Amino acid sequence: PFSARAGQSHSLVLRGSVAAGPMATRQGAADLSGDMARREKIREMAAKIRAEAKAKASVHKPSAAPEAAAALRKPARPELPDPQKEEEDSRKMVNMLPVLEQKIASAEDEADRVSILAAPLSMEATEELRSLQTAAIRDTERAVKTALNTIATAARELERRSKESEGFAPAVADSAKAEIAKLSQRIKAAEAKVEEHRFARRDYEQALAAEKLFDELASRLASVEMDCEKAAMMAEPLARVLTSDPDSVNSAEIREAREALRLAQATLAPTARLIAGKTEGLKGPMKKRMQELQERAEASQGTLDRAQQTVDEAQSRSATAPILTQSLERLEQVEEVLQQMREAEAPFLMGIEAMTSEESAEVLAKMDQTAASAQTVLADAQKFVSLKVVEVGRFAEGAAESARRELEKVQQQIEAGVVKVKAFQEEAAKRKRLNVVAVVKEKVEEAEAAILRLKEAGAALPLADASTLPDALERALATEANVQSLVTAARGEFQERSQELKSSAEGASQEVAKSTSEMLRIKVRINYVEAELAKFRKLARSYEERMKVGKSLTITSELLVSAEAEVERLAEAAASWPKDERPPAGADEGIGSAQAKLGNATTQVEAKLQTAQGLELKELRGIFARLQRAQGRLNGVKEAARQRSRAASSQLLQAATAAVRRAEAAVAAVTGADVAPGASAERMEELSGLAKEALTFIAKAQRELAQGLGEQLALDSKVEFARLQLRCKALERKGRAAADRLAASCEKIVAEAELATLDALRSAARKEDDTYDADELFDRLSKGGMDISVVQLCDFLTREVTPPLTTEQGRVAHRRIAPQGLTRRRFAVALRDFRRVVRDIVLTDVFEIQSAKRIARLAPGELLEAMGVPRGDDSLGLVRVRCRVVRDDVCGWVTVSSAGGTAYLERASQPYLWCARPIALCERADVTSAALQELQPGDVLELLQGPVQERARSDARVRGVACHEEAVGWLQVRDASGAVLAELSGRVHKCSEGVAMTDVPDFASCTTIRRIEAGEALELIDTEQEVTPTEGGTRRKFRACHDGREGWVTTKGSQGTVYVRQAPKHYICTQAAPLHAGLGAEAGVVRVLMPGEAFNAFEEPRDVSGGECITMYRARAVRGGAEGWVTTTTAQEVQPWTSRFVVSQAVPLTSALSTNEAVEPFEVYRMLETGELLDLQQQPVEDLTSGSLRARAVATSDALAGWVTVREASGHLQIRPATAEDEAAAAAARGAAAPTTPTRSGGRSEWQVKEELHEHGGKGAKGRGKGKSKKGKGKW
């Protein structure tokens, strides 16, 4: 019935195939008969199971009593089956099996249905069956899905029933397990049948693909078979030659046959792999056809293998000939070195017995060299032949056998040579042992001859007297040194040769024993020579000691004589020394020298007295007595020197005391002066001068003290000098405080007079627009003169100023403003009014606050120049003034003070600049502009505008990679001066594939210049146009960036291949350009790109970090009056002016500007020391008489004023602006306490201090310190 339904549901498919109908009918009948057979079999199985269960129940049913007795007699046994349960389980199994059978049968039917529907797919794929097979694929896929579901359901049911049957009675369970196992096998068979057609569509598509590929594979295989036949035919002549005449094999034929085999194998192998790959997974007729192709490929491979074997045999025959030739050449080399070895031994074999040991050693060395060379050649030959034997073993069997026999003969000859070399080496070793013994004997004989001469020299020593003994001993010692060298050489030679004999002795041969015995006898002779040498050394040492004793006494005597002569000379000189003066300069050195000689002589005598005996002891006692007498006379000289030193110290102390007293009187006059509150400037200047004079007295007293401390003072004078130093220190503090107080008061009065005078002059010079006309006022006051005198200024201030100023104020102001004369230029500078910002304030464009606009905000410290007189704003109570900002030359209005009295500006002095190094004053704010004046170190400038700071132009670099060596880094494309090192180019191209560069564009007549590698950079030459050769493609002319060579390169091939492409962002070096590792200024250079090299940039160029910062000022030179710009760098060529200077080199402080006495006499107050601080009272001016730059200054140490040279005519600076470190060092020097005990100077000797202690303390007396003087332990 199932088959009938299947046939009805697929009638279209059955109608499409003639053979499908009968097949389905037969399949349906078979299914019906099978179903009936299965049911009958189930019934029979159920009846059988019930019968077995009843039989078991009847057998296992005994009485209860025997059962109990058996239980008591035997151990417990398993429980017997329950017949009722077996019956029940049998029924369950009978009911279960039909259900399982039905499900299994359904699964098998579905599997059969899949096979029926897939039957058209097993036919050959043709166009007529294409639609039928396509429909069969769809029906098969649906049937496969249905069958797999049915099989899965049956399998789950079978699994469930299997687990259920595990609980049945044992007999039933076994039967059920067996039946279920059979059903499981059936369901697996059905599943396998379905799996065969599970991928029907894929298998069908593979078959179609194989059908399409079959013809191509067959054609390809036919071509390969032809190549294989060709290769086999080329190998056949080689086979015939090997059979008839193996030695006449032609190597060219072998190469041709091998090449043909290689080509055939190269085409056969991939073809066979392709056929094998396509055969896998195929089914049906196509698989058989592909297998036929595979068999043909295997047959072709067999043909190639046989031909390969023939070629290998021929090649082996051909390869053995050069191997045998090389082996014979190695054998000839062996014969040559053996002949050289025999020639080296010829001198010994010719019977030459008069050879010296050196000649024998030379011949033996040559024998060793030839033996070593022979060993090397033999070892190389053995290695070569052994390798060739192994190599021949890889050849074909026939060729290898004959070659192996020849090589074995060569090996035998080489082994015979090895035996000869070994025998030669043994003979050489024997001769070497004999030569070693001979060499050592020669050395020992030389030493024995020398020891005889040494004995003769030793025998002459007792016969020599005192005068000839040193010469005799010297000759004997020279002989001893010669003997020692010979003995040492003999001993060294013996030890070295003994070691050689030990290392070369193998076994206990007769020659070895003989040489060993000879060496022992030589050792005994060497020991005897060394013993004789030791005896002579002992004898010579005794004579040396005697000579040393005599020599030591001679030295001590000579030293004593010299000391006595020096003491006598000092005693005669001391008699003529003046009583009130210090001893001459060389007296202390003479006394010290004599004392040192006496001390050395005494030390030597004392040391020798401890061990001296006999005559030596007597001589030493006499020398000791003479030493004591000389020391007594020297003590007298010392006492005379001490007395005169005390007198001189007293005089120095009196002079220093007088100087301190004068300074105290001067300070007392200053501190006791009455200063009224309204004292005049003249009075204050007078008192200030007295204070400076007092400081001068203090400085002189300090110099007196310093001079006294530098001398050699007695101890009591030292104490007094220390006290004077303390008084002088206190006096200096007191005087400096008074001088500072008076100077401050005087400075205040002078500053007030200066300010009042300048305000009066500014008011007189003010015009209607509130600006100043300094020239008009100067002409009016000077009355046409070159400068304004003191009288003219005082007349103006007392008569034309309201309220009038005093004449005293005019004189003081004139002296402060222009100490060298109030010239027109100095007058204009003095009228300039500078202010400094003390609080944040705004610079506006107009006077009125209500309508003003802000120009800039001014920070504290900003320097301004008032352009007019301050004006008051009555509505706001402000005082405002029109100013110019010095820093950037911007003008505007600024509030001076507010209504509440808050000050925003304070008066400031004229700003100046100081040149520390030579620099040019330029016309514009550009160092490249014209120079107006060359400024020298020390020159001073009036600041007009600045400072203006900006960064100097720095280098520009771009990151990328060099096109030639692939070096990555930062290329410098522009330097700090603006010079371009590399420029961006649009003509750069890059080679994408290797191509040739030729001299002309035509392919027929061109010559290759060189190969252009892939990635290489090329620069297009625009002068040449693109050329199209007759062969096709395009060509252009380029220059290689790597080496600069020019030529024509194909940019595009005839088939469209692009060989050269344009490269963006590429730079071409116009000159040598460094490639840096980084962007920083300190980055190192990786390499330098030459002109014409290309560089591939990754990004845009960037400026190098760390560019130099420059500062510019607009200024007017005080010397010359030129006005322009100066530029200073981090080297600080120009610095802000400061009045505090430090002396860099000792310079005199003088009374006048001129340093030429012919022009003006002057006085040198004192020399200013290096490191001393000065306060300059004005800017330096030029001394026209000498060309130097001079300035009036005050020394801070003693307030001494005068003129000092700032710069010499040669340009060398004498003073410079002081730094914070200089001021700290000067303060530390002033604050340091003076030493209470003078340093040892002037060559003072130690004995003077000792004598002074004895003099003041007495013998055992207490001193002023905590310790006590002790008596010395010397002889004196």
Side-chain angles (χ1 to χ4, degrees):
F2 173 77
S3 299
R5 289 194 300 272
Q8 293 173 2
S9 62
H10 297 284
S11 59
L12 293 175
V13 177
L14 296 176
R15 283 197 302 269
S17 176
V18 178
M23 185 186 299
T25 304
R26 291 193 298 271
Q27 185 68 33
D31 290 342
L32 181 60
S33 60
D35 188 20
M36 294 175 65
R38 282 194 295 272
R39 292 182 179 180
E40 182 64 28
K41 185 176 181 180
I42 290 171
R43 286 194 293 271
E44 293 176 355
M45 186 178 299
K48 181 180 179 181
I49 291 172
R50 283 195 292 271
E52 290 177 352
K54 290 180 181 179
K56 290 180 180 179
S58 61
V59 172
H60 298 287
K61 197 174 181 182
S63 60
E67 234 175 56
L72 292 175
R73 291 192 302 268
K74 297 181 179 179
R77 298 179 64 185
E79 185 179 356
L80 296 176
D82 186 0
Q84 185 177 358
K85 179 174 176 56
E86 288 185 356
E87 181 66 24
E88 184 179 355
D89 292 341
S90 298
R91 286 196 300 273
K92 289 181 181 180
M93 189 185 72
V94 170
N95 296 329
M96 176 182 67
L97 288 177
V99 176
L100 293 175
E101 179 67 24
Q102 183 179 1
K103 290 185 178 294
I104 298 302
S106 177
E108 290 175 341
D109 291 341
E110 291 295 335
D112 293 338
R113 180 169 173 263
V114 169
S115 299
I116 293 171
L117 293 176
L121 300 178
S122 62
M123 302 177 185
E124 185 176 354
T126 60
E127 290 296 333
E128 294 79 4
L129 298 178
R130 181 64 55 83
S131 58
L132 175 63
Q133 290 174 340
T134 304
I137 289 172
R138 291 195 300 271
D139 296 339
T140 302
E141 289 177 342
R142 288 194 292 269
V144 166
K145 185 175 182 180
T146 302
L148 290 175
N149 291 334
T150 305
I151 291 171
T153 302
R156 287 195 297 272
E157 182 66 22
L158 190 63
E159 181 68 21
R160 187 176 68 80
R161 295 295 184 177
S162 176
K163 292 182 179 179
E164 182 181 349
S165 64
E166 290 177 358
F168 290 171
V172 181
D174 294 339
S175 301
K177 184 176 181 181
E179 291 299 326
I180 290 174
K182 295 176 182 179
L183 295 176
S184 178
Q185 293 293 331
R186 290 170 58 191
I187 200 168
K188 287 181 180 179
E191 185 178 6
K193 187 181 294 185
V194 174
E195 286 292 336
E196 183 179 358
H197 303 288
R198 185 175 182 179
F199 304 102
R201 183 178 299 277
R202 185 193 65 185
D203 296 341
Y204 181 72
E205 291 175 354
Q206 288 182 351
L208 288 179
E211 182 69 27
K212 293 178 181 179
L213 189 63
F214 179 79
D215 294 337
E216 181 182 352
L217 292 176
S219 175
R220 183 173 177 178
L221 181 60
S223 177
V224 170
E225 287 174 339
M226 291 177 64
D227 292 340
C228 294
E229 290 296 333
K230 179 181 177 181
M233 291 174 63
M234 295 181 69
E236 286 181 1
L238 295 175
R240 290 194 295 269
V241 170
L242 289 175
T243 304
S244 60
D245 188 8
D247 295 332
S248 62
V249 176
N250 191 348
S251 58
E253 293 179 357
I254 295 174
R255 286 195 298 271
E256 292 175 358
R258 185 172 291 279
E259 182 64 19
L261 287 171
R262 186 187 64 79
L263 295 175
Q265 186 65 44
T267 55
L268 176 60
T271 303
R273 287 194 298 271
L274 182 60
I275 293 173
K278 297 300 181 182
T279 304
E280 293 179 359
L282 293 179
K283 298 178 182 179
M286 183 51 62
K287 184 174 184 179
K288 293 181 180 179
R289 296 175 65 186
M290 294 296 289
Q291 287 176 348
E292 291 176 359
L293 291 179
Q294 193 171 7
E295 291 174 357
R296 289 169 57 190
E298 292 174 355
S300 298
Q301 183 63 48
T303 302
L304 287 181
D305 292 342
R306 290 189 295 272
Q308 184 68 45
Q309 184 177 2
T310 302
V311 172
D312 290 343
E313 179 69 19
Q315 188 172 11
S316 299
R317 293 284 187 179
S318 177
T320 55
I323 290 176
L324 294 176
T325 303
Q326 294 174 2
S327 299
L328 293 176
E329 291 175 355
R330 295 300 177 98
L331 189 59
E332 291 178 358
Q333 294 177 3
V334 169
E335 292 295 336
E336 289 178 2
V337 296
L338 291 177
Q339 180 61 31
Q340 294 175 2
M341 189 172 63
R342 289 189 289 269
E343 291 175 355
E345 194 183 9
F348 290 115
L349 299 178
M350 288 187 293
I352 301 175
E353 297 179 354
M355 287 192 299
T356 62
S357 57
E358 289 79 6
E359 294 174 348
S360 300
E362 184 179 353
V363 174
L364 289 171
K366 187 175 181 180
M367 290 174 64
D368 290 341
Q369 182 179 359
T370 54
S373 176
Q375 281 185 326
T376 303
V377 173
L378 287 168
D380 183 57
Q382 281 183 323
K383 181 179 178 181
F384 176 80
V385 173
S386 300
L387 291 175
K388 294 306 177 181
V389 169
V390 176
E391 184 178 348
V392 166
R394 300 192 186 101
F395 293 160
E397 183 176 357
E401 183 63 27
S402 60
R404 190 180 298 110
R405 287 194 298 270
E406 295 296 330
L407 291 176
E408 286 177 355
K409 294 179 182 179
V410 174
Q411 277 184 329
Q412 292 175 359
Q413 295 181 16
I414 292 174
E415 289 174 357
V418 171
V419 173
K420 293 179 181 178
V421 170
K422 186 175 181 181
F424 179 82
Q425 288 177 332
E426 291 176 356
E427 184 66 22
K430 176 182 176 182
R431 297 183 184 279
K432 190 182 295 183
R433 283 193 294 271
L434 295 176
N435 186 65
V436 164
V437 174
V439 170
V440 176
K441 279 184 178 180
E442 290 179 1
K443 295 289 184 180
V444 173
E445 289 172 356
E446 291 178 0
E448 288 175 342
I451 207 68
L452 292 176
R453 294 193 299 272
L454 185 62
K455 285 183 178 181
E456 294 175 357
L461 291 177
L463 303 177
D465 55 8
S467 59
T468 59
L469 179 61
D471 295 337
L473 183 59
E474 183 178 358
R475 290 192 298 270
L477 290 176
T479 306
E480 185 266 339
N482 184 24
V483 173
Q484 177 62 47
S485 62
L486 293 175
V487 172
T488 303
R491 172 63 71 176
E493 190 73 24
F494 172 77
Q495 292 176 349
E496 181 181 356
R497 300 302 182 178
S498 298
Q499 191 65 30
E500 289 183 8
L501 291 177
K502 290 180 181 179
S503 61
S504 62
E506 297 180 359
S509 61
Q510 183 179 359
E511 292 79 7
V512 173
K514 184 178 179 180
S515 59
T516 304
S517 176
E518 289 292 335
M519 293 299 287
L520 289 176
R521 285 192 288 272
I522 292 172
K523 183 177 181 181
V524 172
R525 294 167 64 183
I526 293 175
N527 292 337
Y528 168 75
V529 172
E530 290 177 344
E532 291 297 327
L533 182 61
K535 290 179 182 179
F536 174 80
R537 284 177 180 171
K538 185 176 181 180
L539 177 63
R541 194 177 300 115
S542 63
Y543 281 97
E544 284 179 345
E545 290 176 357
R546 295 178 188 177
M547 292 177 62
K548 285 180 181 178
V549 169
K551 187 176 181 181
S552 64
L553 292 177
T554 302
I555 294 173
T556 304
S557 300
E558 292 175 354
L559 187 61
L560 177 58
V561 170
S562 176
E564 288 175 338
E566 192 165 355
V567 169
E568 190 65 29
R569 182 181 57 79
L570 287 173
E572 293 176 358
S576 60
W577 289 344
K579 294 185 178 180
D580 296 335
E581 295 182 5
R582 189 179 301 279
D588 289 341
E589 287 78 1
I591 294 173
S593 175
Q595 184 63 60
K597 291 180 179 179
L598 290 174
N600 291 338
T602 304
T603 303
Q604 293 178 11
V605 172
E606 289 179 347
K608 293 177 180 179
L609 281 173
Q610 297 178 2
T611 58
Q613 295 178 0
L615 180 61
E616 183 181 8
L617 179 59
K618 183 178 179 181
E619 292 291 332
L620 287 174
R621 286 175 179 173
I623 293 174
F624 191 78
R626 292 169 60 189
L627 285 172
Q628 288 179 333
R629 290 192 295 271
Q631 185 64 48
R633 289 185 62 82
L634 183 60
N635 289 340
V637 176
K638 290 180 182 179
E639 182 62 27
R642 277 195 293 271
Q643 292 176 359
R644 287 160 178 77
S645 295
R646 290 193 199 97
S649 298
S650 178
Q651 293 178 0
L652 290 174
L653 182 60
Q654 291 175 3
T657 303
V660 172
R661 287 174 180 172
R662 286 194 299 270
E664 288 175 339
V667 172
V670 173
T671 55
D674 185 15
V675 182
S680 64
E682 292 181 352
R683 174 59 179 167
M684 295 306 300
E685 287 182 346
E686 179 183 357
L687 293 176
S688 180
L690 291 176
K692 292 180 180 179
E693 185 179 358
L695 291 177
T696 303
F697 281 124
I698 293 172
K700 289 181 179 179
Q702 288 177 337
R703 287 195 291 272
E704 289 285 345
L705 290 173
Q707 182 180 359
L709 289 175
E711 299 291 338
Q712 300 173 1
L713 300 177
L715 185 60
D716 53 350
S717 299
K718 294 178 187 176
V719 176
E720 293 299 327
F721 263 93
R723 291 174 181 172
L724 289 176
Q725 274 190 324
L726 295 177
R727 288 170 59 187
C728 192
K729 282 288 182 183
L731 188 63
E732 182 186 10
R733 290 192 295 270
K734 186 176 180 181
R736 191 172 294 280
D740 291 343
R741 183 176 70 255
L742 292 173
S745 301
C746 183
E747 177 64 25
K748 180 179 180 182
I749 294 172
V750 173
E752 291 175 353
E754 180 187 8
L755 181 60
T757 301
L758 291 176
D759 287 341
L761 292 173
R762 291 185 184 113
S763 299
R766 182 176 61 182
K767 297 191 297 184
E768 293 181 357
D769 58 353
D770 287 340
T771 60
Y772 299 134
D773 189 356
D775 291 336
E776 188 274 333
L777 180 61
F778 181 84
D779 292 336
R780 181 158 60 93
L781 294 180
S782 65
K783 299 178 181 180
M786 296 299 294
D787 58 0
I788 299 172
S789 64
V790 177
V791 175
Q792 291 171 339
L793 180 63
C794 291
D795 290 343
F796 170 76
L797 294 176
T798 56
R799 297 176 182 178
E800 300 183 23
V801 173
T802 304
L805 302 179
T806 63
T807 302
E808 181 183 1
Q809 286 178 315
R811 285 198 299 269
V812 171
H814 189 280
R815 188 164 58 250
R816 170 62 70 88
I817 295 171
Q820 301 303 315
L822 191 55
T823 61
R824 181 184 298 274
R825 180 177 167 191
R826 181 60 189 163
F827 183 75
V829 171
L831 291 187
R832 296 178 68 184
D833 186 9
F834 288 91
R835 308 292 178 100
R836 191 177 303 278
V837 178
V838 295
R839 286 183 174 83
D840 288 334
I841 191 65
V842 175
L843 181 72
T844 62
D845 57 345
V846 295
F847 174 78
E848 293 78 11
I849 294 293
Q850 293 81 358
S851 60
K853 294 182 180 179
R854 187 178 75 173
I855 298 176
R857 175 172 291 278
L858 303 178
E862 192 78 47
L863 191 63
L864 311 176
E865 182 182 4
M867 306 301 294
V869 180
R871 293 167 50 186
D873 188 346
D874 297 335
S875 61
L876 299 178
L878 302 177
V879 178
R880 292 171 61 79
V881 65
R882 187 170 182 271
C883 296
R884 179 182 68 88
V885 182
V886 176
R887 175 172 50 83
D888 51 11
D889 207 28
V890 176
C891 295
W893 290 85
V894 177
T895 299
V896 179
S897 61
S898 64
T902 303
Y904 293 94
L905 303 180
E906 67 178 6
R907 290 189 180 273
S909 60
Q910 164 74 41
Y912 288 93
L913 300 173
W914 184 79
C915 294
R917 291 178 175 83
I919 192 172
L921 183 67
C922 299
E923 183 179 357
R924 298 186 304 278
D926 187 0
V927 293
T928 61
S929 61
L932 303 177
Q933 181 179 345
E934 293 295 333
L935 302 175
Q936 300 300 323
D939 283 342
V940 179
L941 305 170
E942 298 175 16
L943 178 62
L944 303 178
Q945 179 185 343
V948 179
Q949 293 184 345
E950 66 178 25
R951 286 280 180 183
R953 192 170 186 181
S954 60
D955 299 343
R957 299 178 188 172
V958 62
R959 189 171 68 90
V961 58
C963 294
H964 170 47
E965 294 183 356
E966 297 293 332
V968 180
W970 293 80
L971 178 68
Q972 183 174 344
V973 296
R974 189 192 69 240
D975 60 13
S977 63
V980 177
L981 306 182
E983 56 185 9
L984 190 65
S985 176
R987 303 194 308 273
V988 179
H989 291 63
K990 256 196 173 180
C991 181
S992 56
E993 292 187 23
V995 67
M997 175 184 283
T998 62
D999 56 348
V1000 294
D1002 187 16
F1003 286 118
S1005 59
C1006 69
T1007 301
T1008 300
I1009 297 176
R1010 73 176 184 87
R1011 173 186 172 89
I1012 305 298
E1013 301 294 341
E1016 191 170 345
L1018 304 172
E1019 185 179 4
L1020 180 64
I1021 300 176
D1022 294 335
T1023 56
E1024 300 290 344
Q1025 299 296 325
E1026 187 176 73
V1027 175
T1028 302
T1030 56
E1031 293 82 355
T1034 57
R1035 309 198 78 198
R1036 301 197 71 173
K1037 192 171 185 180
F1038 292 92
R1039 182 186 62 82
C1041 296
H1042 168 43
D1043 53 8
R1045 304 185 73 174
E1046 296 181 0
W1048 291 83
V1049 178
T1050 301
T1051 57
K1052 188 175 182 180
S1054 59
Q1055 300 298 323
T1057 304
V1058 178
Y1059 293 95
V1060 178
R1061 302 178 186 272
Q1062 187 174 7
K1065 281 190 177 182
H1066 273 64
Y1067 284 80
I1068 295 294
C1069 294
T1070 57
Q1071 53 183 305
L1075 182 65
H1076 297 268
L1079 185 60
E1082 71 284 353
V1085 176
V1086 177
R1087 63 176 293 253
V1088 177
L1089 273 65
M1090 293 293 105
E1093 286 197 61
F1095 185 81
N1096 183 14
F1098 298 157
E1099 56 189 42
E1100 297 299 324
R1102 294 164 61 183
D1103 290 335
V1104 177
S1105 59
E1108 186 179 20
C1109 180
I1110 61 175
T1111 305
M1112 296 176 291
Y1113 301 92
R1114 186 167 65 87
R1116 182 185 297 113
V1118 173
R1119 181 179 60 85
E1123 182 179 332
W1125 288 83
V1126 291
T1127 302
T1128 178
T1129 63
T1130 54
Q1132 295 186 343
E1133 294 86 352
V1134 177
Q1135 303 173 8
W1137 164 267
T1138 175
S1139 60
R1140 179 62 59 87
F1141 273 64
V1142 64
V1143 178
S1144 57
Q1145 185 175 353
V1147 61
L1149 186 68
T1150 64
S1151 59
L1153 168 64
S1154 176
T1155 57
N1156 190 346
E1157 289 185 341
V1159 177
E1160 180 183 1
F1162 63 90
E1163 177 187 356
V1164 176
Y1165 293 145
R1166 69 178 181 91
M1167 290 296 294
L1168 299 175
E1169 301 297 332
T1170 302
E1172 193 168 350
L1173 297 181
L1174 304 173
D1175 285 330
L1176 268 62
Q1177 296 179 324
Q1178 64 179 32
Q1179 284 71 40
V1181 295
E1182 187 175 7
D1183 179 10
L1184 299 178
T1185 63
S1186 62
S1188 60
L1189 201 65
R1190 305 264 291 168
R1192 185 169 178 79
V1194 177
T1196 59
S1197 60
D1198 55 4
L1200 187 61
W1203 289 87
V1204 65
T1205 301
V1206 178
R1207 184 190 68 213
E1208 295 178 343
S1210 62
H1212 182 70
L1213 287 177
Q1214 301 286 79
I1215 62 175
R1216 57 175 176 80
T1219 62
E1221 291 78 5
D1222 296 330
E1223 296 192 17
R1230 286 196 305 269
T1236 58
T1237 303
T1239 57
R1240 290 178 58 184
S1241 59
R1244 182 159 186 171
S1245 57
E1246 185 178 359
W1247 63 267
Q1248 290 176 303
V1249 178
K1250 291 182 179 179
E1251 293 298 335
E1252 289 170 3
L1253 288 173
H1254 288 299
E1255 176 187 355
H1256 292 280
K1259 183 176 180 181
K1262 294 184 178 178
R1264 295 183 181 180
K1266 294 182 180 180
K1268 298 180 180 180
S1269 62
K1270 296 181 179 180
K1271 186 177 180 180
K1273 298 180 180 180
K1275 297 289 184 181
W1276 323 120

